[in-house]
Amino acid sequence: MTIPFLDLKAINAQYRQELIDAATRVIDSGWYIQGAELKAFETEFAAYCGTKHCIGVANGLDALTLTLRAWRELGKLKEGDEVIVPANTYIASILAVTENRLKPVLVEPDERTYNLCPIKTAAAITRNTKAVLVVHLYGQLAPMTELMALADGHGLLVLEDSAQAHGAQINGKKAGSWGHASGFSFYPGKNLGALGDAGAVTTDDDELAATIRALGNYGSHTKYENLYQGVNSRLDEIQAAMLRVKLKCLDAEIQRRKKIALAYALGITDPVFIQPIRDRRTLGALDDHVFHLYVIRTKLREMVQSRLDKAGIQTLIHYPIPPHLQKAYVSMKYSLGSFPMVEEFSSTLLSLPIGSHLTPDQIDNIIEIVMDSVS
């Protein structure tokens, strides 16, 4: 029996009637852009994250790009300013920086968590550094207490890339509420996924929120009055309605993912490396991680992936080519060997299936094949 990496049809089937009812509500309203559903979702998601504002936008990349653009419009950033970014992120994080004519400064991550390391981040700060783009990779929060203290000490802006971390928290403080702003993606495969592209920005900054809202609406606060050369980046009513349905179930989905992750953590042992979990016996130790992805690291990746594939179990590699080796960024003048840790990750990391579509027997089967492959 085939085990897909992600079965969106099965996941969304849990909410089928509620999604149909929500879509019907929007259709019957006759209002499809910037209406009641968007306003309600923005209020609900801001409350969930613990922030004052949520601004719906078209996708996660726009969430990051518009935030940096807003800081430029407000005079807090200028062309050429340096933004520290983890070198092992998805390319979207870096695209948002370069789209605003800012300079990305890539930093190798913590080898154990794959997130930004405060010590390495501190070493990368120069007089031109003006912001840190913190990526909560795979669903685990970066060490935000330390990173915020570092940023505050140097007067740096902090933008969270929370595209993979909806609901992750440290001591009750959730992703999206740590930095000066945060960008979220609601791409269908996310833990909180729409039925199409969607994104949002969260912040406590009134001026920033108003500026982002205007920039994403053709640069306009008031119809036909344009303060900025803006873009069209709005979260539409249908997707907002879909997200309202699924937001109510997000914490339950996270708990299911944690249970699967705990099973993996108990069953997958040396020589395979897994992200460290403070206490493998309890789910409470996993609050900072919502397991958008469950990633293992092994030098025998090809063998493990092949055996899983033969058993009908789909795996994925996130990300096979690091951003600094992409043709899109030859201008950054990095080369093979510039970030040896990240390059090693690209050849050893493997993402296992995780999500509410998996059964206990399937999870046990995956663990057994992984361990047999490396024994």
Side-chain angles (χ1 to χ4, degrees):
M1 182 171 129
T2 300
I3 301 175
F5 179 78
L6 181 65
D7 190 340
L8 289 177
K9 184 176 179 181
I11 290 171
N12 288 323
Q14 304 169 88
Y15 323 115
R16 187 174 189 276
Q17 191 56 54
E18 289 182 88
L19 292 171
I20 290 171
D21 292 344
T24 301
R25 187 170 66 243
V26 174
I27 293 167
D28 290 347
S29 75
W31 194 288
Y32 309 122
I33 299 289
Q34 293 189 310
E37 294 293 337
L38 173 60
K39 190 172 293 185
F41 173 71
E42 289 178 337
T43 299
E44 291 160 5
F45 193 65
Y48 179 82
C49 294
T51 60
K52 190 174 180 181
H53 300 283
C54 169
I55 307 98
V57 296
N59 53 67
L61 174 56
D62 282 2
L64 300 176
T65 303
L66 288 172
T67 302
L68 293 170
R69 168 77 187 280
W71 278 331
R72 287 197 62 187
E73 295 289 350
L74 293 169
K76 295 185 178 183
L77 292 174
K78 66 180 185 304
E79 183 174 341
D81 282 346
E82 294 178 356
V83 180
I84 292 174
V85 189
N88 59 325
T89 186
Y90 182 55
I91 199 169
S93 308
I94 300 170
L95 287 170
V97 176
T98 56
E99 177 66 19
N100 281 285
R101 298 182 181 178
L102 303 168
K103 180 181 178 182
V105 176
L106 306 187
V107 176
E108 290 234 84
D110 184 309
E111 185 177 11
R112 299 173 73 244
T113 66
Y114 310 118
N115 279 325
L116 271 180
C117 166
I119 295 173
K120 294 177 183 177
T121 302
I125 295 173
T126 72
R127 64 181 182 180
N128 297 317
T129 306
K130 295 296 183 286
V132 181
L133 203 166
V134 181
V135 182
H136 305 310
L137 202 63
Y138 308 144
Q140 183 171 37
L141 278 180
M144 291 306 297
T145 302
E146 295 87 345
L147 288 170
M148 289 305 299
L150 176 65
D152 289 345
H154 289 271
L156 305 179
L157 296 165
V158 175
L159 174 57
E160 297 175 74
D161 183 339
S162 300
Q164 300 184 8
H166 319 70
Q169 56 186 294
I170 298 174
N171 296 328
K173 188 173 176 63
K174 288 181 178 172
S177 66
W178 284 90
H180 300 101
S182 177
F184 285 88
S185 167
F186 305 118
Y187 183 77
K190 304 298 185 185
N191 291 13
L192 177 59
L195 273 67
D197 268 324
V201 178
T202 56
T203 184
D204 287 330
D205 186 327
D206 295 346
E207 187 178 33
L208 178 65
T211 305
I212 293 170
R213 198 175 291 281
L215 285 170
N217 188 38
Y218 301 97
S220 174
H221 287 288
T222 304
K223 195 169 185 178
Y224 302 128
E225 294 180 19
N226 303 83
L227 299 176
Y228 313 105
Q229 296 177 22
V231 298
N232 177 12
S233 180
R234 302 177 297 202
L235 175 57
D236 68 60
E237 286 289 283
I238 285 281
Q239 296 306 335
M242 302 294 103
L243 287 166
R244 291 186 69 201
V245 169
K246 298 181 73 175
L247 178 58
K248 292 183 294 184
C249 307
L250 176 57
D251 286 342
E253 171 68 21
I254 290 171
Q255 286 302 114
R256 286 194 288 268
R257 287 174 174 269
K258 286 183 178 181
K259 288 179 180 177
I260 296 168
L262 191 59
Y264 280 153
L266 290 169
I268 299 174
T269 56
D270 292 340
V272 179
F273 178 84
I274 62 170
Q275 281 180 285
I277 294 172
R278 289 188 294 277
D279 184 347
R280 296 189 184 198
R281 296 168 296 177
T282 64
L283 292 177
L286 306 178
D287 279 349
D288 63 342
H289 204 324
V290 293
F291 296 97
H292 170 60
L293 298 174
Y294 193 93
V295 179
I296 62 173
R297 191 162 88 230
T298 173
K299 293 180 179 179
L300 299 175
R301 182 177 71 184
E302 187 175 337
M303 180 183 294
V304 174
Q305 187 173 39
S306 176
R307 290 194 180 179
L308 288 168
D309 183 62
K310 287 178 182 177
I313 300 165
Q314 184 185 25
T315 58
L316 292 179
I317 297 171
H318 299 86
Y319 306 100
I321 305 175
H324 72 280
L325 297 180
Q326 297 283 357
K327 289 183 179 179
Y329 282 116
V330 293
S331 61
M332 289 199 295
K333 297 183 180 178
Y334 292 120
S335 59
L336 190 65
S338 294
F339 299 99
M341 185 188 302
V342 173
E343 291 164 21
E344 189 265 333
F345 289 167
S346 70
S347 64
T348 57
L349 292 179
L350 184 67
S351 300
L352 302 180
I354 189 166
S356 54
H357 64 294
L358 295 175
T359 67
D361 286 345
Q362 289 174 327
I363 296 163
D364 289 342
N365 189 25
I366 292 168
I367 292 170
E368 182 179 359
I369 292 172
V370 170
M371 294 312 300
D372 284 348
S373 300
V374 298
S375 61

